[in-house]
Amino acid sequence: MLVKIFGSAVFGVEATTITVEVNIDKGIGYHLVGLPDNAIKESSYRISAALNNNGFKLPGKKITINMAPADMRKEGSAYDLTLAIGILAASNQIKSNKVANYIIMGELSLDGSLQPIKGALPIAIKALEEGFTGFILPKQNAKEAAIVNGLEVYGIENITEVIHFFDKNEPLEQTIIDTRAEFYKNLDNPEFDFADVKGQESVKRSMEIAAAGGHNIILVGPPGSGKTMLSKRLSSILPPMTLQEALETTKIHSVVGKVKDSGLMCQRPFRSPHHTISDVALVGGGQYPQPGEISLSHNGVLFLDELPEFKRTVLEVMRQPLEDREVTISRARFTVTYPSSFMLVASMNPSPSGYFNDPDAPVTSSPSEMQRYLSKISGPLLDRIDIHIEVNPVPFEKLTEEQQSEPSKTIRERVTKAREFQSKRFSEHQNIHYNAQMGVKQIRKFCQLNDESMNLLKTAMERLNLSARAFDRILKVSRTIADLEGLEDITSTHISEAIQYRSLDREGWLG
């Protein structure tokens, strides 16, 4: 008897429906075709044990299973439940009249219990698009899949629940989530707050500007000056995520199995990889491509602590995603694209010893050591970072003062207002939402300068020997500073402040 049952495969952040054809005929054997990987080939042992331990068995006949489309590589153990139900239906151990109405996915344990899978959200989205009645999957993934309204989602703990559902019409408990209510309930609960930071007013100001315009920023200062502490609080002043951004972010994290119990990710992600990370782990890829840290930071913050300690090759592969806000991974048979619109926050010591330009500390690094240390950061990479800011140690008097610092909530209100200003400005531009995303045409249109501002910028360009890309960065930052003040025109004051945020372009830095 031939039975068709449906599973799903995830490529990039999109799912593709897989048709599993199970045919049972005279003879003996178990034949699995359609480019399955080793994890799928091993499924027969898990399926056999799970069925035996729950009062069922593999039929002692010739079992042929085709996973179509047959020219697409399938991977992972999430097809165990799909294959098991298909075998039971094809061998008449359960009724087969309803199995084709559902996407069925799950990894089986030997006792028949279900283990969680990856990519539940994109699979659910695809199931709804293609008109399936529902999605049967492990209970641990049910909330994640139930984000998709209009699709029946059934989270199960053991294969017997599915068998009784199809064979005896015993109802399964449907998981229902009010996506909007879940979103707004968990929206505003930042873990860190700028109220904890004493002093560093100029750095806070630069981070407010970075948040308001979506600009990349690098903090340069000696050990203990608060670079990491400040960086961890940047996400707390970013505007709250929209529901669309929350869905996009959850979709990416779903692919790698990193969605938490709540299902929908409502807080902007903050990723902080160690400096020993490989280029594949950072940008994504591998034999079976997976999103890297830059995609897991989509709509959030990627923090690279001690930037010169990262391998130069790792930093260089980040240049294209920083510019295009997406990363494309090509293989011989397919190409996948992951979104990577993130804010880069980097920190570094000014020298190997950490105390370059500090009058109170001896310079313990030789010129050659300085050159080796700073040469790991290329000029083109720095050009893609809009704001460079020096962070000095906080004086004892500031550390001990009792006056409360400005909380993140207050700063976020100003940032959100500036973002709304930008959103209206770019309403006719589909892929531009804030100043850092502006291209050359938008810069020329929205960053026009008067003669005084133009002369000031010209002088700075000549004295600091800035590149054309740095010129655009200064215009973008000055546009954001004006937006924070609610002004339509960019003044020389805005240009002057924006020029100050190019510290690493000054003489004495990076050669």
Side-chain angles (χ1 to χ4, degrees):
M1 181 178 176
L2 173 65
V3 167
K4 290 187 179 182
I5 194 167
F6 297 93
S8 194
V10 178
F11 294 94
V13 292
E14 303 296 333
T16 300
T17 299
I18 302 297
T19 304
V20 178
E21 300 172 316
V22 183
N23 186 67
I24 295 181
D25 207 347
K26 295 179 181 179
I28 296 176
Y30 185 90
H31 307 286
L32 184 59
V33 298
L35 287 182
D37 70 352
N38 287 334
I40 301 176
K41 291 175 183 177
E42 293 170 351
S43 65
S44 61
Y45 302 106
R46 294 190 293 273
I47 292 169
S48 178
L51 293 181
N52 286 335
N53 288 324
N54 287 276
F56 297 86
K57 62 180 181 179
L58 280 178
K61 296 184 178 181
K62 182 181 178 182
I63 303 173
T64 304
I65 301 174
N66 177 45
M67 305 181 76
D71 62 345
M72 181 185 292
R73 184 80 175 174
K74 291 86 181 177
E75 61 176 75
S77 54
Y79 297 98
D80 289 359
L81 184 62
T82 321
L83 301 179
I85 297 300
I87 291 170
L88 290 174
S91 59
N92 289 316
Q93 295 183 68
I94 64 171
K95 297 174 184 176
S96 61
N97 57 323
K98 292 194 302 183
V99 293
N101 297 333
Y102 297 86
I103 293 289
I104 303 172
M105 297 290 287
E107 177 187 336
L108 282 171
S109 295
L110 300 187
D111 62 355
S113 60
L114 271 292
Q115 299 297 320
I117 63 172
K118 297 178 180 178
L121 180 55
I123 292 172
I125 292 171
K126 190 67 174 179
L128 181 65
E129 288 177 358
E130 298 199 346
F132 285 93
T133 302
F135 184 12
I136 297 172
L137 76 169
K139 193 167 187 176
Q140 298 95 317
N141 301 111
K143 285 187 177 180
E144 177 186 337
I147 292 170
V148 181
N149 297 323
L151 181 73
E152 296 176 11
V153 174
Y154 300 106
I156 63 167
E157 295 181 343
N158 193 285
I159 189 174
T160 56
E161 297 176 43
V162 188
I163 293 171
H164 292 161
F165 172 68
F166 287 122
D167 198 44
K168 300 180 180 179
N169 290 322
E170 290 186 6
L172 293 174
E173 184 180 353
Q174 184 177 347
T175 303
I176 300 175
I177 288 181
D178 186 335
T179 306
R180 290 188 179 276
E182 191 74 18
F183 172 67
Y184 289 113
K185 181 178 74 175
N186 298 305
L187 187 60
D188 193 11
N189 187 26
E191 184 179 356
F192 300 103
D193 198 296
F194 269 105
D196 305 327
V197 181
K198 300 288 187 181
Q200 303 292 18
E201 300 307 323
S202 62
V203 185
K204 290 178 186 176
R205 166 68 175 172
S206 67
M207 299 193 87
E208 179 180 339
I209 294 168
H215 303 289
N216 301 321
I217 182 172
I218 183 168
L219 311 180
V220 186
S225 57
K227 302 186 297 295
T228 302
M229 184 181 188
L230 286 158
S231 299
K232 286 183 176 179
R233 282 155 178 77
L234 179 59
S235 56
S236 70
I237 63 172
L238 289 173
M241 281 210 287
T242 63
L243 182 57
Q244 181 62 37
E245 287 177 327
L247 288 168
E248 287 177 2
T249 306
T250 306
K251 200 173 177 182
I252 298 168
H253 285 250
S254 172
V255 171
V256 293
K258 292 184 180 294
V259 177
K260 297 180 181 179
D261 294 337
S262 60
L264 187 65
M265 293 185 62
C266 303
Q267 301 296 322
R268 293 190 181 274
F270 180 90
R271 306 290 299 182
S272 180
H274 192 261
H275 64 257
T276 56
I277 191 172
S278 67
D279 51 355
V280 171
L282 185 68
V283 302
Q287 184 178 2
Y288 303 116
Q290 290 283 296
E293 289 290 335
I294 63 172
S295 294
L296 293 174
S297 306
H298 181 61
N299 291 324
V301 174
L302 176 66
F303 175 46
L304 302 184
D305 198 9
E306 302 298 341
L307 189 66
E309 299 298 331
F310 286 78
K311 290 183 288 187
R312 179 158 182 155
T313 54
V314 171
L315 298 178
E316 292 305 299
V317 296
M318 200 167 55
R319 283 162 50 181
Q320 179 262 336
L322 276 172
E323 201 73 22
D324 297 343
R325 300 187 181 275
E326 64 179 20
V327 57
T328 301
I329 299 166
S330 298
R331 294 291 180 267
R333 289 179 174 269
F334 59 89
T335 298
V336 296
T337 299
Y338 296 112
S340 59
S341 181
F342 60 93
M343 273 187 66
L344 173 64
V345 181
S347 74
M348 61 178 282
N349 294 332
S351 66
S353 68
Y355 296 101
F356 177 70
N357 278 349
D358 187 344
D360 299 323
V363 178
T364 57
S365 303
S366 67
S368 60
E369 288 174 329
M370 284 284 297
Q371 185 61 36
R372 280 197 303 272
Y373 179 73
L374 296 174
S375 64
K376 292 185 179 181
I377 310 172
S378 68
L381 176 62
L382 276 179
D383 278 346
R384 286 167 169 81
I385 300 176
D386 300 352
I387 297 176
H388 313 159
I389 186 74
E390 292 185 58
V391 184
N392 298 313
V394 182
F396 179 79
E397 293 75 16
K398 281 284 185 183
L399 287 173
T400 55
E401 70 179 10
E402 295 184 3
Q403 184 178 352
Q404 184 77 12
S405 298
E406 190 175 33
S408 293
K409 184 178 180 180
T410 305
I411 303 173
R412 177 191 268 191
E413 288 172 358
R414 295 196 296 267
V415 168
T416 303
K417 190 175 180 180
R419 284 284 184 102
E420 290 171 354
F421 202 51
Q422 294 165 43
S423 182
K424 291 178 182 177
R425 177 186 298 130
F426 302 126
S427 58
E428 297 179 1
H429 301 79
Q430 186 175 0
N431 297 319
I432 301 176
H433 306 287
Y434 46 85
N435 290 335
Q437 296 177 323
M438 284 193 292
V440 175
K441 289 182 179 179
Q442 291 77 36
I443 292 173
R444 299 295 176 263
K445 181 177 180 181
F446 299 117
C447 301
Q448 296 181 6
L449 305 180
N450 57 30
D451 291 341
E452 182 184 0
S453 300
M454 186 63 75
N455 290 333
L456 176 62
L457 184 53
K458 179 182 177 182
T459 302
M461 291 287 295
E462 292 172 349
R463 290 185 179 178
L464 298 176
N465 195 26
L466 301 179
S467 67
R469 189 177 277 117
F471 171 78
D472 289 343
R473 263 44 184 179
I474 290 172
L475 289 177
K476 288 181 181 181
V477 172
S478 61
R479 175 69 273 167
T480 300
I481 296 169
D483 290 343
L484 280 167
E485 296 180 11
L487 299 177
E488 194 62 47
D489 296 327
I490 298 174
T491 68
S492 58
T493 305
H494 304 143
I495 290 290
S496 179
E497 184 176 359
I499 292 170
Q500 292 178 19
Y501 298 132
R502 301 297 300 182
S503 296
L504 297 182
D505 293 321
R506 297 174 193 163
E507 189 175 352
W509 287 103
L510 302 178

